[in-house]
Amino acid sequence: MELPNVADKWTGVVNEITLGATKDKGGSRQKTVTIGGSKSVPFMDFEGNPGRKPVIAMDVYDTSPDDWPETLTKPFSDVLNNPAQWAKKCVEQYGADLICLKLDGIHPDKGNKSAEEAVKTVKSILAAVGVPLIIWGCEDDEKDNEVMPKVSQAAKGENCLMGIVTQDNYKTLTATCLADGHAIITLSPVDINIAKQVNILVSEMDFPLNRIVMFQSTGALGYGLEYTYSIQERERLAALTGDKMMSMPVICDVGHEAWRTKEAKSNDSEVPQWGPREERGPMWEAITAIGLLQSGVDIIRMNHPKAVAAVKKCIDRLY
Amino acid sequence: MALTGLDIYKLLPKTNCKKCGRPTCLAFAMQLAQKKANLSDCPDVSEEAKKVLGAASAPPIKLVTVGTGAKKVEVGEENVLFRHEEKFYHPTGVAVTIHDDLNDADFNERLKRINSLKISRVGTEIEIDLIAIINKSNNAQKFTEAAKKVSSGSHLSIILSSASVENMKAALSACAEKRPLIHGANSGNCESMAALAKEKNCPMTVTAQTLEELADLTERAKKAGVEEIVLDVSGNNPKEVLQKLTKVRRAALKKNFRTLGFPMITFVCDDDPFHEISLASTYLVKYAGIVAVNVCEPWAIMPLLTARTNLFTDPQKPIQVEPRLYAVGDAKEDSPVLFTTNFSLTYYTVEGEVEASRIPAFILSVDTGGTSVLTAYSGDKLNDKAVAKAMADAKVETKVKHKKLIIPGLVAVMSGKLQETLGWEILVGPREASGLPSYLKTVWRA
């Protein structure tokens, strides 16, 4: 029996962005990563080019995380105090496509490290690995506005992805990224209208739309995943129907959110009925990412090597 | 294509007799078009109208029921491709397989483990729905024994999986009253399997390589008298399976293509539980009516069931937590008391941050009808009276020795009135939950 043609015709496309700059482009990266470009809903290449494969950015912190459960610190136990070695391990052993340096340590409540220290960390990571870098502030506006411009300048020409800007605090970082040639992450708290608003604000400073990546705040599996899922799905459909202010690739923060949950971090003695945490934690992180992948995601921030491996394999099989 | 209200109106008696409970025939027609009324409400409808409207008003994806009683599984009857458009109605049935060639001890052990795949998290119990008995032995007697054991030894609904009509017939004799899903019909045995399904009034699957062949098979099964059909779109190529799931859902909903207007099942099989659950979750998110997996570890099943809970919540209805006092950690009489609303996203964000602070505390969830702090405040659902009532209902004054209440920074403006109403000292907390750990560590401790 003949079937009806169910391929949707989309008029829009998700912006394609290349991150990282090799020597000939004024940087020192050994490879670049290109995201976006999708002309179909995720993985449905029978209706159009599905764009670039979603990529995994593994998190590296500038200060040893004090709230990670043992399951998560174990794979990194030898490098937690050395961000450069940590990044190297993520790339060489665990197959990270990108490194996301989270500058938690500059937060006034979490160590209050100076801009100089942050710059040093960034430089050490750039020297240690050849993949493109995401640099993520501490989300304290005042401190970020003080530190991020210096970090940006130190990485000038490397074509990093810098974050994050919000509708209340975007001018400093936007201007800096524009000057130093970095791409930028715009944050909105699970709100599609604010997402659009912050993209507009940033673009009004002459920041090119095709240098923006959107971040919707991520809800972990069991903790609001469905909100993130539906907002991202709506954003992707808006992009495909031609909304230029919604056509940015999307980044998710899966690792941090998944590992805050009881399901991922509880000790076996607390929840014997849930099974061993060595499996339980990575699985929770993996399935958070897997669920969100179907809504349209371009970069996934992750933590545990086992979860990273599972998600990469799943992407390869679906792509 | 679906009929409009006016198309339907033309087929009605147009007497405005009100017997259907609506003021006019037109009003009734409009409700029929929106699927908010049943044609049977009209006592005077003509046979011709019944025929035309019956076919047009049938849901685009057939509802299929597997099992009986409280644990029966209903799949199908979905209206949308994306959950934000409306909602997903019938949560994906999760099945775990059991092979009939296991020895007695192993079989019983596995059955016990499958039966206990109940997971209690954030106050609700979730569990799997089905056991898929696989006729691995290819032996009728073994298959029948397995069906007997599962039928008497499990509360879950049953899938019988065998391509042998003989074996299926034998196993059905042991559990037909449980209304199992018959899995095994293909182009070679479709009519014989369908005859069994019809005789025992059971739902059945059809299996084929391509969607075109599947459509042919549903026609054949329907001709043989079977109404409740499930499309088996399992396969070794995950990309192809995912695309089939989408194509079938679109064909049914957007093209009203009746021959594929049925729920779908996917069997996922991978030696690595991570890969198996990754694919099962993927299929669950994108349109599988039933997913069957081999792994039966709670750490693997729990995320799959949680993904289902998330995806099938009603996006138009704010999710609420029970409005009461929650103790986080080992909260004692000198621990801080905070309040927030009973919107679950808000509540769990606050709970997560309080937990992260490692300072035991009480969180009072105030009933705001499941809205967030600012929305509730603007709608006057979060005011001094609502907080006072929540404090009284939860008997907060008997739980702690102090009289200090931490309020969300976003509603700092409530402080004065709240202090007056409660007679408690009001401490204004951070505007964002993420500020709680440092707030508790510094301001509260100080």
Side-chain angles (χ1 to χ4, degrees):
Chain A
M1 187 178 297
E2 204 181 319
L3 300 189
N5 178 12
V6 293
D8 285 324
K9 281 200 183 67
W10 302 106
T11 51
V13 55
V14 176
N15 299 337
E16 208 169 63
I17 302 185
T18 296
L19 299 172
T22 49
K23 212 167 172 187
D24 55 322
K25 292 270 167 61
S28 67
R29 303 300 79 207
Q30 275 141 27
K31 65 174 203 178
T32 61
V33 168
T34 304
I35 54 167
S38 176
K39 290 181 179 171
S40 74
V41 293
F43 307 105
M44 296 300 130
D45 61 4
F46 63 85
E47 63 183 13
N49 181 352
R52 305 295 181 133
K53 224 188 246 192
V55 294
I56 312 285
M58 287 182 76
D59 290 345
V60 168
Y61 285 77
D62 63 338
T63 181
S64 180
D66 63 353
D67 54 352
W68 278 17
E70 201 191 321
T71 323
L72 193 48
T73 53
K74 215 195 263 172
F76 307 104
S77 56
D78 52 336
V79 293
L80 283 175
N81 288 306
N82 186 335
Q85 288 306 312
W86 185 347
K88 208 169 150 73
K89 193 167 191 183
C90 288
V91 174
E92 288 172 8
Q93 278 191 38
Y94 303 139
D97 298 306
L98 303 124
I99 291 298
C100 176
L101 172 64
K102 184 78 173 65
L103 292 172
D104 262 21
I106 64 172
H107 195 285
D109 298 334
K110 297 176 193 166
N112 205 17
K113 288 189 179 188
S114 66
E116 289 66 38
E117 284 173 277
V119 164
K120 220 173 108 192
T121 305
V122 169
K123 283 189 169 161
S124 72
I125 293 180
L126 284 170
V129 298
V131 301
L133 206 57
I134 301 170
I135 307 174
W136 200 294
C138 68
E139 298 182 34
D140 176 284
D141 290 352
E142 210 177 308
K143 193 64 192 275
D144 280 348
N145 289 343
E146 178 197 328
V147 174
M148 293 301 279
K150 291 185 180 143
V151 165
S152 164
Q153 216 171 19
K156 186 170 183 168
E158 295 287 4
N159 187 12
C160 300
L161 178 59
M162 310 278 283
I164 38 84
V165 297
T166 63
Q167 61 174 351
D168 300 321
N169 184 47
Y170 63 94
K171 289 186 177 155
T172 308
L173 191 56
T174 304
T176 310
C177 286
L178 203 52
D180 298 330
H182 301 304
I184 207 165
I185 303 170
T186 56
L187 162 75
S188 46
V190 208
D191 187 315
I192 198 162
N193 297 316
I194 298 178
K196 200 162 178 168
Q197 176 64 12
V198 61
N199 288 340
I200 292 171
L201 290 172
V202 168
S203 68
E204 278 173 354
M205 288 180 70
D206 285 333
F207 200 88
L209 289 177
N210 62 5
R211 299 284 295 154
I212 299 175
V213 172
M214 290 192 287
F215 175 54
Q216 265 301 347
S217 312
T218 302
L221 183 62
Y223 296 84
L225 175 125
E226 69 272 31
Y227 296 93
T228 309
Y229 180 92
S230 281
I231 291 273
Q232 288 178 174
E233 194 159 59
R234 287 170 63 195
E235 286 178 345
R236 183 54 46 103
L237 293 172
L240 294 175
T241 43
D243 186 339
K244 294 284 172 225
M245 285 299 165
M246 286 275 105
S247 300
M248 296 74 186
V250 167
I251 185 169
C252 278
D253 178 8
V254 163
H256 175 65
E257 293 301 326
W259 284 95
R260 274 157 36 116
T261 66
K262 286 197 268 288
E263 287 77 0
K265 70 180 182 191
S266 294
N267 286 323
D268 293 357
S269 57
E270 295 169 72
V271 286
Q273 71 281 9
W274 285 357
R277 63 178 183 173
E278 291 298 323
E279 309 281 8
R280 173 165 34 91
M283 187 66 111
W284 204 260
E285 183 184 3
I287 302 305
T288 299
I290 294 288
L292 292 172
L293 264 181
Q294 291 302 319
S295 68
V297 184
D298 302 279
I299 307 176
I300 313 174
R301 277 178 56 194
M302 297 190 68
N303 291 347
H304 199 285
K306 209 165 170 177
V308 169
V311 173
K312 279 182 91 107
K313 167 124 187 215
C314 190
I315 292 171
D316 286 344
R317 289 166 114 181
L318 295 176
Y319 200 79
Chain B
M1 288 308 287
L3 296 177
T4 66
L6 281 176
D7 295 334
I8 297 171
Y9 175 68
K10 287 176 194 153
L11 294 160
L12 294 177
K14 304 192 203 69
T15 50
N16 297 337
C17 70
K18 301 189 176 64
K19 285 184 212 160
C20 64
R22 282 83 182 175
T24 62
C25 287
L26 185 61
F28 182 49
M30 291 301 175
Q31 292 200 348
L32 280 173
Q34 293 165 16
K35 302 198 180 357
K36 285 180 179 161
N38 281 317
L39 189 60
S40 58
D41 288 352
C42 175
D44 304 323
V45 71
S46 71
E47 282 308 312
E48 191 218 338
K50 263 190 208 168
K51 222 170 116 190
V52 178
L53 291 175
S57 66
I61 301 172
K62 173 91 184 156
L63 185 74
V64 172
T65 306
V66 182
T68 58
K71 274 302 288 177
K72 73 177 177 204
V73 181
E74 290 182 321
V75 289
E77 256 188 36
E78 297 295 344
N79 294 340
V80 292
L81 284 161
F82 305 108
R83 62 186 289 281
H84 64 258
E85 295 174 325
E86 188 177 318
K87 71 169 195 169
F88 293 163
Y89 285 89
H90 296 98
T92 306
V94 173
V96 174
T97 57
I98 191 164
H99 293 171
D100 69 348
D101 61 347
L102 294 176
N103 65 41
D104 274 0
D106 288 351
F107 191 94
N108 293 337
E109 171 60 25
R110 184 163 171 98
L111 184 58
K112 206 171 108 191
R113 281 173 58 202
I114 294 174
N115 276 335
S116 63
L117 285 174
K118 287 182 194 179
I119 287 123
S120 176
R121 57 175 300 279
V122 293
T124 47
E125 190 161 83
I126 48 179
E127 71 168 335
I128 64 157
D129 311 280
L130 304 124
I131 299 187
I133 309 170
I134 312 291
N135 186 204
K136 195 101 183 282
S137 68
N138 212 13
N139 174 300
Q141 200 188 335
K142 283 208 162 147
F143 194 36
T144 310
E145 274 168 27
K148 245 184 227 162
K149 274 190 216 160
V150 171
S151 176
S152 62
S154 177
H155 61 295
L156 300 167
S157 297
I158 299 170
I159 299 171
L160 290 175
S161 180
S162 175
S164 152
V165 177
E166 299 265 296
N167 296 3
M168 186 62 77
K169 189 174 181 182
L172 271 174
S173 70
C175 65
E177 75 284 358
K178 291 275 174 81
R179 210 161 189 268
L181 175 64
I182 297 174
H183 176 256
N186 51 43
S187 64
N189 64 14
C190 187
E191 278 71 19
S192 321
M193 282 288 187
L196 282 179
K198 182 166 196 271
E199 186 200 329
K200 303 289 187 188
N201 184 31
C202 290
M204 69 180 278
T205 66
V206 288
T207 304
Q209 285 295 316
T210 68
L211 295 181
E212 285 80 1
E213 290 168 300
L214 270 184
D216 292 336
L217 286 182
T218 65
E219 288 289 279
R220 283 167 63 185
K222 265 202 271 187
K223 226 173 248 164
V226 179
E227 296 279 325
E228 294 185 51
I229 302 168
V230 177
L231 310 170
D232 180 8
V233 293
S234 313
N236 294 326
N237 180 341
K239 176 179 169 179
E240 208 178 291
V241 173
L242 184 66
Q243 295 197 348
K244 276 184 183 172
L245 287 160
T246 292
K247 284 177 178 170
V248 168
R249 177 82 153 229
R250 283 189 189 171
L253 292 184
K254 298 175 76 174
K255 308 285 178 184
N256 213 21
F257 190 67
R258 297 279 172 184
T259 42
L260 289 179
F262 299 96
M264 296 170 274
I265 186 169
T266 56
F267 283 78
V268 188
C269 177
D270 194 300
D271 292 337
D272 182 331
F274 273 77
H275 299 324
E276 193 172 282
I277 296 297
S278 292
L279 291 180
S281 304
T282 300
Y283 302 154
L284 181 148
V285 169
K286 285 291 179 189
Y287 314 138
I290 299 175
V291 291
V293 296
N294 292 325
V295 59
C296 79
E297 303 291 341
W299 55 266
I301 296 294
M302 185 160 69
L304 182 62
L305 293 177
T306 308
R308 172 177 73 180
T309 306
N310 282 169
L311 260 288
F312 282 85
T313 49
D314 185 346
Q316 286 140 16
K317 198 170 131 200
I319 315 300
Q320 309 182 12
V321 295
E322 192 193 332
R324 64 175 175 87
L325 190 69
Y326 294 83
V328 180
D330 187 19
K332 295 201 176 77
E333 58 190 23
D334 59 346
S335 301
V337 183
L338 308 81
F339 83 75
T340 186
T341 76
N342 74 326
F343 177 35
S344 68
L345 195 59
T346 304
Y347 173 78
Y348 287 118
T349 310
V350 171
E351 192 201 67
E353 295 296 345
V354 171
E355 232 178 54
S357 78
R358 293 189 198 135
I359 294 174
F362 290 104
I363 306 174
L364 180 69
S365 121
V366 178
D367 187 357
T368 58
T371 53
S372 66
V373 172
L374 272 186
T375 313
Y377 178 75
S378 341
D380 207 27
K381 283 180 191 156
L382 183 63
N383 52 34
D384 56 317
K385 288 188 193 74
V387 177
K389 182 176 181 304
M391 296 274 286
D393 289 349
K395 300 195 176 63
V396 177
E397 75 279 6
T398 66
K399 305 280 165 64
V400 290
K401 278 204 162 157
H402 59 80
K403 282 199 159 191
K404 289 177 190 166
L405 179 64
I406 301 170
I407 74 169
L410 288 174
V411 289
V413 53
M414 285 175 70
S415 311
K417 211 157 179 203
L418 204 50
Q419 191 141 356
E420 212 171 281
T421 311
L422 292 175
W424 280 45
E425 184 187 340
I426 304 300
L427 307 174
V428 177
R431 290 170 63 86
E432 297 290 337
S434 54
L436 277 169
S438 69
Y439 178 86
L440 291 174
K441 278 179 203 159
T442 53
V443 184
W444 174 261
R445 286 247 167 110

